[in-house]
Amino acid sequence: MNAITIQNHVLLANGEQIQELPKLAKDAVVRVWTVPTDYSASGYFVDVQPKGGVPTIPACDSAQTQFVAMLELEASDEAIISQSKGERLAQANQAAERFLALLSKSYPQGEVSSWPQQVKEAEDLINNPTTASTPLIDALAASRSVGREDLATRILQKTEQYAVASGGIIGIRQRVEDLLDAAETHDDVLAVPSFEALFDEQMGA
């Protein structure tokens, strides 16, 4: 009778390797059948499912198969850490998106889409006041009854303020990512502050 064992995430039969097993973030069940070699070159069909999952069986003639083992496969620390990092980073990404959306929420989307053109014209006007082509700023200035040079200055000031605010948000998200990259254990991952906690810390500084 074949002695089926698991060592270091490798499935063995009588000490010979059958196949490497996946590293999962959950405990799993490994089920093993012998099958014809024209169905599987190793002569084995191996099914790995997280505990509670629905097993699969060989899709060959059942008369030519034999169920030989059911073993437990412990969750991999590496997979647990990787999954936890992914979940925490996704949470930070979503939080950063929310905060960036709130930052520009008070402006209509159409106006937001015009910002690059406003900035370009404002910079051109400041650098070349007599030759700069500024159709957008001219229209905005006329509607607001302000000088176009004054409006250009305001645009650049607001752009800088927005850059500082959005840069702070993006920087916090990147800090979370850096801390997660440096985490070596699951406890290290759990100890990484959330985006919201770091934001509050920065705002309170």
mmCIF file with all atom_site columns, all heavy atoms in Angstrom, residues 1 4 19 32 38 44 46 53 59 62 71 77 82 84-85 111 113 123 129 132 137 146 150 161 179 182-183:
data_model
loop_
_atom_site.group_PDB
_atom_site.id
_atom_site.type_symbol
_atom_site.label_atom_id
_atom_site.label_alt_id
_atom_site.label_comp_id
_atom_site.label_asym_id
_atom_site.label_entity_id
_atom_site.label_seq_id
_atom_site.pdbx_PDB_ins_code
_atom_site.Cartn_x
_atom_site.Cartn_y
_atom_site.Cartn_z
_atom_site.occupancy
_atom_site.B_iso_or_equiv
_atom_site.pdbx_formal_charge
_atom_site.auth_seq_id
_atom_site.auth_comp_id
_atom_site.auth_asym_id
_atom_site.auth_atom_id
_atom_site.pdbx_PDB_model_num
ATOM 1   N N   . MET A 1 1   ? 0.847   -1.195 0.000   1.00 0.00 ? 1   MET A N   1
ATOM 2   C CA  . MET A 1 1   ? 0.000   0.000  0.000   1.00 0.00 ? 1   MET A CA  1
ATOM 3   C C   . MET A 1 1   ? 0.881   1.243  0.000   1.00 0.00 ? 1   MET A C   1
ATOM 4   O O   . MET A 1 1   ? 1.907   1.296  0.678   1.00 0.00 ? 1   MET A O   1
ATOM 5   C CB  . MET A 1 1   ? -0.908  0.003  1.232   1.00 0.00 ? 1   MET A CB  1
ATOM 6   C CG  . MET A 1 1   ? -1.860  1.177  1.286   1.00 0.00 ? 1   MET A CG  1
ATOM 7   S SD  . MET A 1 1   ? -2.982  1.037  2.701   1.00 0.00 ? 1   MET A SD  1
ATOM 8   C CE  . MET A 1 1   ? -3.894  2.551  2.492   1.00 0.00 ? 1   MET A CE  1
ATOM 9   N N   . ILE A 1 4   ? 1.179   7.665  1.749   1.00 0.00 ? 4   ILE A N   1
ATOM 10  C CA  . ILE A 1 4   ? 1.057   9.040  1.255   1.00 0.00 ? 4   ILE A CA  1
ATOM 11  C C   . ILE A 1 4   ? 1.315   10.000 2.413   1.00 0.00 ? 4   ILE A C   1
ATOM 12  O O   . ILE A 1 4   ? 0.644   9.922  3.452   1.00 0.00 ? 4   ILE A O   1
ATOM 13  C CB  . ILE A 1 4   ? -0.338  9.302  0.660   1.00 0.00 ? 4   ILE A CB  1
ATOM 14  C CG1 . ILE A 1 4   ? -0.695  8.232  -0.368  1.00 0.00 ? 4   ILE A CG1 1
ATOM 15  C CG2 . ILE A 1 4   ? -0.398  10.689 0.051   1.00 0.00 ? 4   ILE A CG2 1
ATOM 16  C CD1 . ILE A 1 4   ? 0.191   8.218  -1.579  1.00 0.00 ? 4   ILE A CD1 1
ATOM 17  N N   . GLN A 1 19  ? 3.862   15.575 -6.240  1.00 0.00 ? 19  GLN A N   1
ATOM 18  C CA  . GLN A 1 19  ? 3.751   16.950 -6.747  1.00 0.00 ? 19  GLN A CA  1
ATOM 19  C C   . GLN A 1 19  ? 3.872   17.919 -5.588  1.00 0.00 ? 19  GLN A C   1
ATOM 20  O O   . GLN A 1 19  ? 3.661   17.555 -4.428  1.00 0.00 ? 19  GLN A O   1
ATOM 21  C CB  . GLN A 1 19  ? 2.428   17.173 -7.484  1.00 0.00 ? 19  GLN A CB  1
ATOM 22  C CG  . GLN A 1 19  ? 1.206   17.164 -6.585  1.00 0.00 ? 19  GLN A CG  1
ATOM 23  C CD  . GLN A 1 19  ? -0.080  17.405 -7.344  1.00 0.00 ? 19  GLN A CD  1
ATOM 24  O OE1 . GLN A 1 19  ? -0.405  16.675 -8.268  1.00 0.00 ? 19  GLN A OE1 1
ATOM 25  N NE2 . GLN A 1 19  ? -0.812  18.432 -6.945  1.00 0.00 ? 19  GLN A NE2 1
ATOM 26  N N   . VAL A 1 32  ? -6.309  12.027 -2.394  1.00 0.00 ? 32  VAL A N   1
ATOM 27  C CA  . VAL A 1 32  ? -5.440  11.411 -3.393  1.00 0.00 ? 32  VAL A CA  1
ATOM 28  C C   . VAL A 1 32  ? -6.063  10.114 -3.905  1.00 0.00 ? 32  VAL A C   1
ATOM 29  O O   . VAL A 1 32  ? -6.531  9.285  -3.113  1.00 0.00 ? 32  VAL A O   1
ATOM 30  C CB  . VAL A 1 32  ? -4.042  11.115 -2.798  1.00 0.00 ? 32  VAL A CB  1
ATOM 31  C CG1 . VAL A 1 32  ? -3.100  10.602 -3.891  1.00 0.00 ? 32  VAL A CG1 1
ATOM 32  C CG2 . VAL A 1 32  ? -3.448  12.353 -2.129  1.00 0.00 ? 32  VAL A CG2 1
ATOM 33  N N   . ASP A 1 38  ? -2.176  7.036  -18.255 1.00 0.00 ? 38  ASP A N   1
ATOM 34  C CA  . ASP A 1 38  ? -2.550  7.792  -19.450 1.00 0.00 ? 38  ASP A CA  1
ATOM 35  C C   . ASP A 1 38  ? -3.507  8.932  -19.102 1.00 0.00 ? 38  ASP A C   1
ATOM 36  O O   . ASP A 1 38  ? -3.792  9.790  -19.933 1.00 0.00 ? 38  ASP A O   1
ATOM 37  C CB  . ASP A 1 38  ? -3.149  6.880  -20.525 1.00 0.00 ? 38  ASP A CB  1
ATOM 38  C CG  . ASP A 1 38  ? -4.404  6.159  -20.058 1.00 0.00 ? 38  ASP A CG  1
ATOM 39  O OD1 . ASP A 1 38  ? -4.757  6.283  -18.867 1.00 0.00 ? 38  ASP A OD1 1
ATOM 40  O OD2 . ASP A 1 38  ? -5.015  5.448  -20.883 1.00 0.00 ? 38  ASP A OD2 1
ATOM 41  N N   . TYR A 1 44  ? -1.279  9.439  -10.154 1.00 0.00 ? 44  TYR A N   1
ATOM 42  C CA  . TYR A 1 44  ? -2.089  9.933  -9.036  1.00 0.00 ? 44  TYR A CA  1
ATOM 43  C C   . TYR A 1 44  ? -2.927  11.124 -9.487  1.00 0.00 ? 44  TYR A C   1
ATOM 44  O O   . TYR A 1 44  ? -2.502  11.932 -10.324 1.00 0.00 ? 44  TYR A O   1
ATOM 45  C CB  . TYR A 1 44  ? -1.206  10.366 -7.861  1.00 0.00 ? 44  TYR A CB  1
ATOM 46  C CG  . TYR A 1 44  ? -0.473  9.233  -7.200  1.00 0.00 ? 44  TYR A CG  1
ATOM 47  C CD1 . TYR A 1 44  ? 0.828   8.887  -7.597  1.00 0.00 ? 44  TYR A CD1 1
ATOM 48  C CD2 . TYR A 1 44  ? -1.064  8.496  -6.176  1.00 0.00 ? 44  TYR A CD2 1
ATOM 49  C CE1 . TYR A 1 44  ? 1.510   7.850  -6.994  1.00 0.00 ? 44  TYR A CE1 1
ATOM 50  C CE2 . TYR A 1 44  ? -0.380  7.440  -5.565  1.00 0.00 ? 44  TYR A CE2 1
ATOM 51  C CZ  . TYR A 1 44  ? 0.900   7.127  -5.987  1.00 0.00 ? 44  TYR A CZ  1
ATOM 52  O OH  . TYR A 1 44  ? 1.570   6.089  -5.391  1.00 0.00 ? 44  TYR A OH  1
ATOM 53  N N   . VAL A 1 46  ? -4.690  14.325 -7.610  1.00 0.00 ? 46  VAL A N   1
ATOM 54  C CA  . VAL A 1 46  ? -4.618  15.015 -6.314  1.00 0.00 ? 46  VAL A CA  1
ATOM 55  C C   . VAL A 1 46  ? -5.583  16.187 -6.324  1.00 0.00 ? 46  VAL A C   1
ATOM 56  O O   . VAL A 1 46  ? -5.558  17.020 -7.236  1.00 0.00 ? 46  VAL A O   1
ATOM 57  C CB  . VAL A 1 46  ? -3.180  15.517 -6.036  1.00 0.00 ? 46  VAL A CB  1
ATOM 58  C CG1 . VAL A 1 46  ? -3.119  16.217 -4.676  1.00 0.00 ? 46  VAL A CG1 1
ATOM 59  C CG2 . VAL A 1 46  ? -2.187  14.362 -6.090  1.00 0.00 ? 46  VAL A CG2 1
ATOM 60  N N   . GLY A 1 53  ? -14.571 23.098 1.409   1.00 0.00 ? 53  GLY A N   1
ATOM 61  C CA  . GLY A 1 53  ? -14.755 23.216 -0.026  1.00 0.00 ? 53  GLY A CA  1
ATOM 62  C C   . GLY A 1 53  ? -15.274 21.925 -0.632  1.00 0.00 ? 53  GLY A C   1
ATOM 63  O O   . GLY A 1 53  ? -15.190 20.850 -0.035  1.00 0.00 ? 53  GLY A O   1
ATOM 64  N N   . ALA A 1 59  ? -11.769 12.408 -13.476 1.00 0.00 ? 59  ALA A N   1
ATOM 65  C CA  . ALA A 1 59  ? -12.767 12.348 -14.540 1.00 0.00 ? 59  ALA A CA  1
ATOM 66  C C   . ALA A 1 59  ? -12.481 11.197 -15.497 1.00 0.00 ? 59  ALA A C   1
ATOM 67  O O   . ALA A 1 59  ? -12.690 11.291 -16.696 1.00 0.00 ? 59  ALA A O   1
ATOM 68  C CB  . ALA A 1 59  ? -12.797 13.664 -15.294 1.00 0.00 ? 59  ALA A CB  1
ATOM 69  N N   . SER A 1 62  ? -14.151 5.249  -13.172 1.00 0.00 ? 62  SER A N   1
ATOM 70  C CA  . SER A 1 62  ? -14.038 5.047  -11.728 1.00 0.00 ? 62  SER A CA  1
ATOM 71  C C   . SER A 1 62  ? -13.528 3.655  -11.368 1.00 0.00 ? 62  SER A C   1
ATOM 72  O O   . SER A 1 62  ? -12.938 3.458  -10.298 1.00 0.00 ? 62  SER A O   1
ATOM 73  C CB  . SER A 1 62  ? -15.391 5.293  -11.053 1.00 0.00 ? 62  SER A CB  1
ATOM 74  O OG  . SER A 1 62  ? -16.373 4.409  -11.555 1.00 0.00 ? 62  SER A OG  1
ATOM 75  N N   . LEU A 1 71  ? -5.518  13.814 3.578   1.00 0.00 ? 71  LEU A N   1
ATOM 76  C CA  . LEU A 1 71  ? -4.573  14.419 4.508   1.00 0.00 ? 71  LEU A CA  1
ATOM 77  C C   . LEU A 1 71  ? -4.925  15.878 4.739   1.00 0.00 ? 71  LEU A C   1
ATOM 78  O O   . LEU A 1 71  ? -5.547  16.528 3.896   1.00 0.00 ? 71  LEU A O   1
ATOM 79  C CB  . LEU A 1 71  ? -3.144  14.333 3.958   1.00 0.00 ? 71  LEU A CB  1
ATOM 80  C CG  . LEU A 1 71  ? -2.641  12.949 3.524   1.00 0.00 ? 71  LEU A CG  1
ATOM 81  C CD1 . LEU A 1 71  ? -1.339  13.082 2.777   1.00 0.00 ? 71  LEU A CD1 1
ATOM 82  C CD2 . LEU A 1 71  ? -2.457  12.059 4.749   1.00 0.00 ? 71  LEU A CD2 1
ATOM 83  N N   . ASP A 1 77  ? 2.229   30.054 6.259   1.00 0.00 ? 77  ASP A N   1
ATOM 84  C CA  . ASP A 1 77  ? 2.467   31.378 6.836   1.00 0.00 ? 77  ASP A CA  1
ATOM 85  C C   . ASP A 1 77  ? 2.722   32.409 5.743   1.00 0.00 ? 77  ASP A C   1
ATOM 86  O O   . ASP A 1 77  ? 2.250   33.550 5.812   1.00 0.00 ? 77  ASP A O   1
ATOM 87  C CB  . ASP A 1 77  ? 3.661   31.342 7.792   1.00 0.00 ? 77  ASP A CB  1
ATOM 88  C CG  . ASP A 1 77  ? 3.346   30.599 9.087   1.00 0.00 ? 77  ASP A CG  1
ATOM 89  O OD1 . ASP A 1 77  ? 2.156   30.416 9.394   1.00 0.00 ? 77  ASP A OD1 1
ATOM 90  O OD2 . ASP A 1 77  ? 4.298   30.193 9.784   1.00 0.00 ? 77  ASP A OD2 1
ATOM 91  N N   . SER A 1 82  ? 0.900   37.090 2.727   1.00 0.00 ? 82  SER A N   1
ATOM 92  C CA  . SER A 1 82  ? 0.652   37.689 1.415   1.00 0.00 ? 82  SER A CA  1
ATOM 93  C C   . SER A 1 82  ? -0.808  38.118 1.276   1.00 0.00 ? 82  SER A C   1
ATOM 94  O O   . SER A 1 82  ? -1.098  39.227 0.792   1.00 0.00 ? 82  SER A O   1
ATOM 95  C CB  . SER A 1 82  ? 1.020   36.693 0.318   1.00 0.00 ? 82  SER A CB  1
ATOM 96  O OG  . SER A 1 82  ? 0.744   37.238 -0.957  1.00 0.00 ? 82  SER A OG  1
ATOM 97  N N   . SER A 1 84  ? -2.947  38.763 3.703   1.00 0.00 ? 84  SER A N   1
ATOM 98  C CA  . SER A 1 84  ? -3.234  39.841 4.644   1.00 0.00 ? 84  SER A CA  1
ATOM 99  C C   . SER A 1 84  ? -2.685  41.175 4.128   1.00 0.00 ? 84  SER A C   1
ATOM 100 O O   . SER A 1 84  ? -3.350  42.219 4.228   1.00 0.00 ? 84  SER A O   1
ATOM 101 C CB  . SER A 1 84  ? -2.625  39.511 6.009   1.00 0.00 ? 84  SER A CB  1
ATOM 102 O OG  . SER A 1 84  ? -2.972  40.479 6.970   1.00 0.00 ? 84  SER A OG  1
ATOM 103 N N   . LYS A 1 85  ? -1.492  41.134 3.541   1.00 0.00 ? 85  LYS A N   1
ATOM 104 C CA  . LYS A 1 85  ? -0.926  42.357 2.961   1.00 0.00 ? 85  LYS A CA  1
ATOM 105 C C   . LYS A 1 85  ? -1.818  42.883 1.842   1.00 0.00 ? 85  LYS A C   1
ATOM 106 O O   . LYS A 1 85  ? -2.067  44.095 1.745   1.00 0.00 ? 85  LYS A O   1
ATOM 107 C CB  . LYS A 1 85  ? 0.476   42.078 2.419   1.00 0.00 ? 85  LYS A CB  1
ATOM 108 C CG  . LYS A 1 85  ? 1.561   41.968 3.469   1.00 0.00 ? 85  LYS A CG  1
ATOM 109 C CD  . LYS A 1 85  ? 2.928   41.802 2.821   1.00 0.00 ? 85  LYS A CD  1
ATOM 110 C CE  . LYS A 1 85  ? 4.044   41.770 3.849   1.00 0.00 ? 85  LYS A CE  1
ATOM 111 N NZ  . LYS A 1 85  ? 5.383   41.682 3.221   1.00 0.00 ? 85  LYS A NZ  1
ATOM 112 N N   . GLU A 1 111 ? -15.538 71.127 -14.578 1.00 0.00 ? 111 GLU A N   1
ATOM 113 C CA  . GLU A 1 111 ? -14.531 72.108 -14.181 1.00 0.00 ? 111 GLU A CA  1
ATOM 114 C C   . GLU A 1 111 ? -13.219 71.421 -13.834 1.00 0.00 ? 111 GLU A C   1
ATOM 115 O O   . GLU A 1 111 ? -12.141 71.906 -14.190 1.00 0.00 ? 111 GLU A O   1
ATOM 116 C CB  . GLU A 1 111 ? -15.030 72.921 -12.980 1.00 0.00 ? 111 GLU A CB  1
ATOM 117 C CG  . GLU A 1 111 ? -14.040 73.993 -12.533 1.00 0.00 ? 111 GLU A CG  1
ATOM 118 C CD  . GLU A 1 111 ? -14.598 74.890 -11.430 1.00 0.00 ? 111 GLU A CD  1
ATOM 119 O OE1 . GLU A 1 111 ? -15.831 74.919 -11.253 1.00 0.00 ? 111 GLU A OE1 1
ATOM 120 O OE2 . GLU A 1 111 ? -13.790 75.548 -10.762 1.00 0.00 ? 111 GLU A OE2 1
ATOM 121 N N   . SER A 1 113 ? -12.060 68.727 -15.084 1.00 0.00 ? 113 SER A N   1
ATOM 122 C CA  . SER A 1 113 ? -11.388 68.313 -16.322 1.00 0.00 ? 113 SER A CA  1
ATOM 123 C C   . SER A 1 113 ? -10.693 69.475 -17.023 1.00 0.00 ? 113 SER A C   1
ATOM 124 O O   . SER A 1 113 ? -9.801  69.263 -17.852 1.00 0.00 ? 113 SER A O   1
ATOM 125 C CB  . SER A 1 113 ? -12.394 67.652 -17.269 1.00 0.00 ? 113 SER A CB  1
ATOM 126 O OG  . SER A 1 113 ? -13.370 68.579 -17.697 1.00 0.00 ? 113 SER A OG  1
ATOM 127 N N   . GLU A 1 123 ? 0.233   79.532 -16.350 1.00 0.00 ? 123 GLU A N   1
ATOM 128 C CA  . GLU A 1 123 ? 1.701   79.559 -16.377 1.00 0.00 ? 123 GLU A CA  1
ATOM 129 C C   . GLU A 1 123 ? 2.198   80.330 -17.590 1.00 0.00 ? 123 GLU A C   1
ATOM 130 O O   . GLU A 1 123 ? 3.156   81.123 -17.489 1.00 0.00 ? 123 GLU A O   1
ATOM 131 C CB  . GLU A 1 123 ? 2.239   78.127 -16.385 1.00 0.00 ? 123 GLU A CB  1
ATOM 132 C CG  . GLU A 1 123 ? 2.032   77.394 -15.067 1.00 0.00 ? 123 GLU A CG  1
ATOM 133 C CD  . GLU A 1 123 ? 2.465   75.938 -15.125 1.00 0.00 ? 123 GLU A CD  1
ATOM 134 O OE1 . GLU A 1 123 ? 2.584   75.405 -16.265 1.00 0.00 ? 123 GLU A OE1 1
ATOM 135 O OE2 . GLU A 1 123 ? 2.671   75.340 -14.061 1.00 0.00 ? 123 GLU A OE2 1
ATOM 136 N N   . PRO A 1 129 ? 3.267   87.453 -20.493 1.00 0.00 ? 129 PRO A N   1
ATOM 137 C CA  . PRO A 1 129 ? 1.997   88.196 -20.383 1.00 0.00 ? 129 PRO A CA  1
ATOM 138 C C   . PRO A 1 129 ? 1.536   88.859 -21.680 1.00 0.00 ? 129 PRO A C   1
ATOM 139 O O   . PRO A 1 129 ? 0.339   89.079 -21.873 1.00 0.00 ? 129 PRO A O   1
ATOM 140 C CB  . PRO A 1 129 ? 2.290   89.245 -19.304 1.00 0.00 ? 129 PRO A CB  1
ATOM 141 C CG  . PRO A 1 129 ? 3.775   89.336 -19.233 1.00 0.00 ? 129 PRO A CG  1
ATOM 142 C CD  . PRO A 1 129 ? 4.304   87.985 -19.583 1.00 0.00 ? 129 PRO A CD  1
ATOM 143 N N   . ALA A 1 132 ? 1.002   85.316 -24.522 1.00 0.00 ? 132 ALA A N   1
ATOM 144 C CA  . ALA A 1 132 ? 0.336   84.070 -24.147 1.00 0.00 ? 132 ALA A CA  1
ATOM 145 C C   . ALA A 1 132 ? -1.074  83.991 -24.717 1.00 0.00 ? 132 ALA A C   1
ATOM 146 O O   . ALA A 1 132 ? -1.816  84.971 -24.705 1.00 0.00 ? 132 ALA A O   1
ATOM 147 C CB  . ALA A 1 132 ? 0.288   83.940 -22.631 1.00 0.00 ? 132 ALA A CB  1
ATOM 148 N N   . ILE A 1 137 ? -8.838  81.242 -19.810 1.00 0.00 ? 137 ILE A N   1
ATOM 149 C CA  . ILE A 1 137 ? -8.710  82.235 -18.738 1.00 0.00 ? 137 ILE A CA  1
ATOM 150 C C   . ILE A 1 137 ? -9.412  83.534 -19.120 1.00 0.00 ? 137 ILE A C   1
ATOM 151 O O   . ILE A 1 137 ? -10.047 84.175 -18.270 1.00 0.00 ? 137 ILE A O   1
ATOM 152 C CB  . ILE A 1 137 ? -7.224  82.482 -18.398 1.00 0.00 ? 137 ILE A CB  1
ATOM 153 C CG1 . ILE A 1 137 ? -6.683  81.304 -17.587 1.00 0.00 ? 137 ILE A CG1 1
ATOM 154 C CG2 . ILE A 1 137 ? -7.041  83.794 -17.639 1.00 0.00 ? 137 ILE A CG2 1
ATOM 155 C CD1 . ILE A 1 137 ? -5.236  81.441 -17.164 1.00 0.00 ? 137 ILE A CD1 1
ATOM 156 N N   . VAL A 1 146 ? -12.858 89.871 -13.296 1.00 0.00 ? 146 VAL A N   1
ATOM 157 C CA  . VAL A 1 146 ? -11.541 90.047 -12.676 1.00 0.00 ? 146 VAL A CA  1
ATOM 158 C C   . VAL A 1 146 ? -10.505 90.099 -13.785 1.00 0.00 ? 146 VAL A C   1
ATOM 159 O O   . VAL A 1 146 ? -10.748 89.665 -14.919 1.00 0.00 ? 146 VAL A O   1
ATOM 160 C CB  . VAL A 1 146 ? -11.205 88.892 -11.706 1.00 0.00 ? 146 VAL A CB  1
ATOM 161 C CG1 . VAL A 1 146 ? -12.177 88.850 -10.542 1.00 0.00 ? 146 VAL A CG1 1
ATOM 162 C CG2 . VAL A 1 146 ? -11.179 87.548 -12.437 1.00 0.00 ? 146 VAL A CG2 1
ATOM 163 N N   . ASP A 1 150 ? -4.738  88.488 -12.505 1.00 0.00 ? 150 ASP A N   1
ATOM 164 C CA  . ASP A 1 150 ? -5.169  88.174 -11.144 1.00 0.00 ? 150 ASP A CA  1
ATOM 165 C C   . ASP A 1 150 ? -5.741  86.757 -11.096 1.00 0.00 ? 150 ASP A C   1
ATOM 166 O O   . ASP A 1 150 ? -5.446  85.986 -10.178 1.00 0.00 ? 150 ASP A O   1
ATOM 167 C CB  . ASP A 1 150 ? -6.220  89.184 -10.692 1.00 0.00 ? 150 ASP A CB  1
ATOM 168 C CG  . ASP A 1 150 ? -6.693  88.936 -9.261  1.00 0.00 ? 150 ASP A CG  1
ATOM 169 O OD1 . ASP A 1 150 ? -5.884  88.454 -8.445  1.00 0.00 ? 150 ASP A OD1 1
ATOM 170 O OD2 . ASP A 1 150 ? -7.872  89.213 -8.966  1.00 0.00 ? 150 ASP A OD2 1
ATOM 171 N N   . GLN A 1 161 ? -2.299  74.525 -3.604  1.00 0.00 ? 161 GLN A N   1
ATOM 172 C CA  . GLN A 1 161 ? -3.006  74.042 -2.417  1.00 0.00 ? 161 GLN A CA  1
ATOM 173 C C   . GLN A 1 161 ? -3.561  72.632 -2.637  1.00 0.00 ? 161 GLN A C   1
ATOM 174 O O   . GLN A 1 161 ? -3.475  71.769 -1.769  1.00 0.00 ? 161 GLN A O   1
ATOM 175 C CB  . GLN A 1 161 ? -4.143  75.007 -2.060  1.00 0.00 ? 161 GLN A CB  1
ATOM 176 C CG  . GLN A 1 161 ? -3.670  76.370 -1.576  1.00 0.00 ? 161 GLN A CG  1
ATOM 177 C CD  . GLN A 1 161 ? -4.800  77.397 -1.516  1.00 0.00 ? 161 GLN A CD  1
ATOM 178 O OE1 . GLN A 1 161 ? -5.948  77.103 -1.874  1.00 0.00 ? 161 GLN A OE1 1
ATOM 179 N NE2 . GLN A 1 161 ? -4.483  78.605 -1.083  1.00 0.00 ? 161 GLN A NE2 1
ATOM 180 N N   . LEU A 1 179 ? 5.116   50.231 4.633   1.00 0.00 ? 179 LEU A N   1
ATOM 181 C CA  . LEU A 1 179 ? 5.095   49.501 5.894   1.00 0.00 ? 179 LEU A CA  1
ATOM 182 C C   . LEU A 1 179 ? 4.683   48.046 5.673   1.00 0.00 ? 179 LEU A C   1
ATOM 183 O O   . LEU A 1 179 ? 5.230   47.132 6.301   1.00 0.00 ? 179 LEU A O   1
ATOM 184 C CB  . LEU A 1 179 ? 4.146   50.181 6.883   1.00 0.00 ? 179 LEU A CB  1
ATOM 185 C CG  . LEU A 1 179 ? 4.586   51.546 7.403   1.00 0.00 ? 179 LEU A CG  1
ATOM 186 C CD1 . LEU A 1 179 ? 3.467   52.209 8.219   1.00 0.00 ? 179 LEU A CD1 1
ATOM 187 C CD2 . LEU A 1 179 ? 5.839   51.413 8.272   1.00 0.00 ? 179 LEU A CD2 1
ATOM 188 N N   . ALA A 1 182 ? 7.527   46.067 4.209   1.00 0.00 ? 182 ALA A N   1
ATOM 189 C CA  . ALA A 1 182 ? 8.572   45.774 5.196   1.00 0.00 ? 182 ALA A CA  1
ATOM 190 C C   . ALA A 1 182 ? 8.134   44.733 6.225   1.00 0.00 ? 182 ALA A C   1
ATOM 191 O O   . ALA A 1 182 ? 8.977   44.165 6.921   1.00 0.00 ? 182 ALA A O   1
ATOM 192 C CB  . ALA A 1 182 ? 8.985   47.059 5.914   1.00 0.00 ? 182 ALA A CB  1
ATOM 193 N N   . ALA A 1 183 ? 6.837   44.475 6.318   1.00 0.00 ? 183 ALA A N   1
ATOM 194 C CA  . ALA A 1 183 ? 6.330   43.521 7.320   1.00 0.00 ? 183 ALA A CA  1
ATOM 195 C C   . ALA A 1 183 ? 6.806   42.110 6.991   1.00 0.00 ? 183 ALA A C   1
ATOM 196 O O   . ALA A 1 183 ? 6.680   41.657 5.851   1.00 0.00 ? 183 ALA A O   1
ATOM 197 C CB  . ALA A 1 183 ? 4.809   43.580 7.363   1.00 0.00 ? 183 ALA A CB  1
#
